[in-house]
Amino acid sequence: MNARMWTVIGAPSSAGAHTPGVERAPAALRAAGLLDLLGRHAPVEDSGDTREFRWRPDPAYPRGQHAGAVAAVASEVAALVATAVAGGPTPLVLGGDCTVTSGLVAGQARAGRSPALVYVDGGPDLYTPLTRPHGNLDATGLAHLLGLPGTLPEVAGVGPTAPLLTPDRVVVYGDSLPRGDHERELVASPRFAGLSVTEINPDHLPDGEVLPAFVRSLAGALAAG
């Protein structure tokens, strides 16, 4: 039996996305058996969900759509993460769009840790509201964690300090890089402190086998920790 304990935190929000759908991911991942599979290897508790937010157009703020909701959800995630870390379990955050990762990092900082981040994504999300005319804040997530010029104070300020990260504490790991067993190596590291899984849209899955296969792969990787 793995000695690691997990706390699962759902963040059913697509506030930072550019279309709806990803807010359904936490429920879909649970329904696909993620907690049961993970529980075969380690104790798992479900801390429930933050507030739900389904994306809709925000014409009043075209370059920073739903910034208030993005910040509110991330702050709720941060509070749940900080509670989990203080009690010992490792937080597993199920988004939602990728701005909920700010909550994972902020929660670690609120718990007195000095977080670093391995950012696994198809792109680095270093746009800002000044350079992203579509206004979807999930394309700016890492920029806000780093406090780059042009980011929004309410989104960048969900943690106890701003910025939450400095460049030397970030590794960007894109989908064009070779994979292999690197994910298992990350989870097995004694410095591994939590994970957020984001941008899964159940509405866009090509068939009913993709999500269960993903859940089996994710649970297997986390079991290596």
Side-chain angles (χ1 to χ4, degrees), residues 63 126-135 139-140 143 149-150:
R63 286 185 173 268
L126 288 171
Y127 288 102
T128 73
L130 298 178
T131 59
R132 182 67 173 177
H134 299 295
T140 72

Side-chain angles (χ1 to χ4, degrees), residues 29-52:
L29 290 166
R30 289 184 176 102
L34 176 60
L35 275 65
D36 291 337
L37 288 172
L38 188 56
R40 296 177 185 177
H41 305 281
V44 178
E45 63 180 13
D46 193 341
S47 293
D49 290 346
T50 65
R51 71 186 69 188
E52 181 174 350

Side-chain angles (χ1 to χ4, degrees), residues 29 32 200-202 204-217:
L29 290 166
I200 294 173
N201 193 332
H204 295 170
L205 298 177
D207 57 59
E209 297 301 319
V210 171
L211 194 58
F214 171 78
V215 163
R216 290 192 298 270
S217 178

Side-chain angles (χ1 to χ4, degrees), residues 77-132:
V77 171
L80 291 170
V81 167
T83 298
V85 170
T90 301
L92 172 59
V93 180
L94 307 179
D97 70 77
C98 57
T99 61
V100 304
T101 300
S102 296
L104 174 63
V105 177
Q108 298 283 348
R110 289 187 188 187
R113 295 185 173 182
S114 181
L117 179 66
V118 179
Y119 201 73
V120 183
D121 200 307
D125 291 342
L126 288 171
Y127 288 102
T128 73
L130 298 178
T131 59
R132 182 67 173 177

